[in-house]
Amino acid sequence: MNKPFRIAIFASGNGSNAEAIMNYFSLHAQIQIAIVLSNNENAYALERAKKFNVPTKVFDRSQFQENSEVLNWLKEFDVTHLVLAGFLWLLPKRLIQAFPNKIINIHPSLLPKFGGKGMYGMNVHEAVKAANEKETGITIHEVNAKYDEGKIIVQASCPIKVGDTVDAILAKVNALEHEYYPRTIEQWILSP
Ligand code: GRF
């Protein structure tokens, strides 16, 4: 039997996408979740990982950017692919070079709209609402050295109604994320 593919999930906060991914792959024949990593020791994503018996690691900026600690963990855990799920730090070049075309991210808007610096979390949905957009959605893309500029793999959209609050927009986008991200990761890994 072929060796399984092994995902490391990077998450800084709530981790609802991390959970959807762990759930989807929990009994998968070819793809496993090897580890959940976070820059934030209070990230709820870490609690969610425990539920699935997935190991976790927390790192600080120097472990992430200035030395090879995180890279060593990834080797130790036999990681083949990196999945960013609400991860807020820019990846260091070293990490990007170690996983060429093997890093994926999800952004909660239809890129190139509402992407780039400062566009994360509620900022995105507030900007979408303020711009009176008629639709919004998600973009799943590969990661390169510039955030939100890697090759787009999938986009999916949802309509915005006139009375929709920012929370209502968030809920619609979250639903799309949980529906699309796990299976897009599966296809991206199995038929790159
Ligand atoms: C999601 O909206 C995702 O698109 C973005 O960060 C958010 C993370 O949400 N990259 P959660 O932590 O997975 O609930």
Side-chain angles (χ1 to χ4, degrees):
M1 203 182 123
N2 289 338
K3 270 180 82 174
F5 297 103
R6 298 205 11 112
I7 292 174
I9 300 177
F10 285 76
S12 299
N14 177 28
S16 70
N17 280 282
E19 174 149 3
I21 295 163
M22 288 187 281
N23 196 27
Y24 187 85
F25 290 109
S26 58
L27 296 171
H28 200 282
Q30 294 151 284
I31 300 173
Q32 300 170 350
I33 308 302
I35 184 169
V36 171
L37 299 110
S38 185
N39 58 309
N40 170 13
E41 62 180 2
N42 297 316
Y44 191 55
L46 299 170
E47 292 301 313
R48 298 186 195 258
K50 281 189 204 150
K51 242 181 16 191
F52 290 88
N53 286 321
V54 170
T56 59
K57 293 268 190 200
V58 176
F59 50 82
D60 62 22
R61 215 172 262 281
S62 83
Q63 285 170 308
F64 190 55
Q65 267 155 357
E66 282 147 37
N67 59 50
S68 304
E69 200 141 0
V70 171
L71 203 49
N72 291 342
W73 291 338
L74 298 175
K75 283 187 194 142
E76 191 185 310
F77 281 83
D78 265 328
V79 169
T80 58
H81 292 76
L82 309 189
V83 169
L84 311 187
F87 182 62
L88 296 180
W89 288 357
L90 214 54
L91 296 195
K93 255 211 185 92
R94 182 198 296 126
L95 219 52
I96 295 174
Q97 283 164 355
F99 291 89
N101 308 114
K102 299 278 189 286
I103 311 176
I104 195 169
N105 183 39
I106 186 163
H107 184 81
S109 76
L110 296 169
L111 290 175
K113 283 184 157 185
F114 307 100
K117 211 170 158 46
M119 279 295 142
Y120 61 87
M122 291 311 266
N123 296 355
V124 177
H125 308 302
E126 276 159 13
V128 165
K129 168 98 179 140
N132 283 320
E133 294 289 306
K134 300 280 171 287
E135 62 167 12
T136 187
I138 59 165
T139 304
I140 298 172
H141 62 91
E142 284 191 350
V143 172
N144 59 25
K146 288 200 179 150
Y147 248 61
D148 300 341
E149 288 184 22
K151 187 182 95 184
I152 290 179
I153 299 168
V154 164
Q155 292 190 299
S157 62
C158 53
I160 300 177
K161 296 204 193 99
V162 180
D164 279 354
T165 60
V166 174
D167 282 340
I169 296 172
L170 168 72
K172 288 183 191 181
V173 170
N174 275 163
L176 280 182
E177 291 178 335
H178 301 161
E179 179 189 348
Y180 279 87
Y181 205 18
R183 57 182 156 98
T184 302
I185 292 167
E186 182 182 34
Q187 284 161 14
W188 168 72
I189 291 178
L190 297 182
S191 29

